[in-house]
Amino acid sequence: MDITLFCCEIDGIFYRTIEPDSRAFALSGSRLPGRYSSSLQPTLYLSASPEGVEAAIKSHTRARRADLTLVAAAW
C-alpha cells in the first residue's frame, strides 16, 4: 500500500497521552491495535486539543493506566 496517497501537510500543535515511561517514543504511534487499526498498522492518534484527548480516552473501554502524561507535538 502506498501511504503517500493518504498523507497531507499538517501544521499546528497536536496532543496525545502516553505512559510516562514511553516519553521518548511519544511520536512512534500506538503500541496496541486500536479501533481503526490492526496490530500491523502503525497508527499515531493525535488530537487538536487537550480536551479532545480527554474525550477520546474516556470513550475507550480498554483498561488504561491512571498515570498517563499529556504531551504536545508541534509541526
Side-chain angles (χ1 to χ4, degrees):
M1 173 191 293
D2 182 4
I3 65 166
T4 58
L5 298 173
F6 302 102
C7 293
C8 61
E9 187 173 321
I10 60 171
D11 182 37
I13 299 174
F14 300 90
Y15 303 88
R16 73 177 301 200
T17 54
I18 59 166
E19 295 177 356
D21 52 345
S22 300
R23 192 172 195 74
F25 307 102
L27 298 179
S28 296
S30 297
R31 294 180 302 107
L32 301 171
R35 291 186 298 175
Y36 306 112
S37 63
S38 74
S39 60
L40 301 175
Q41 298 170 299
T43 306
L44 182 61
Y45 291 98
L46 300 170
S47 180
S49 70
E51 296 81 12
V53 172
E54 186 178 337
I57 292 297
K58 285 181 180 178
S59 71
H60 292 194
T61 58
R62 190 181 316 164
R64 300 243 181 224
R65 286 176 53 169
D67 62 341
L68 294 177
T69 300
L70 181 69
V71 294
W75 275 276

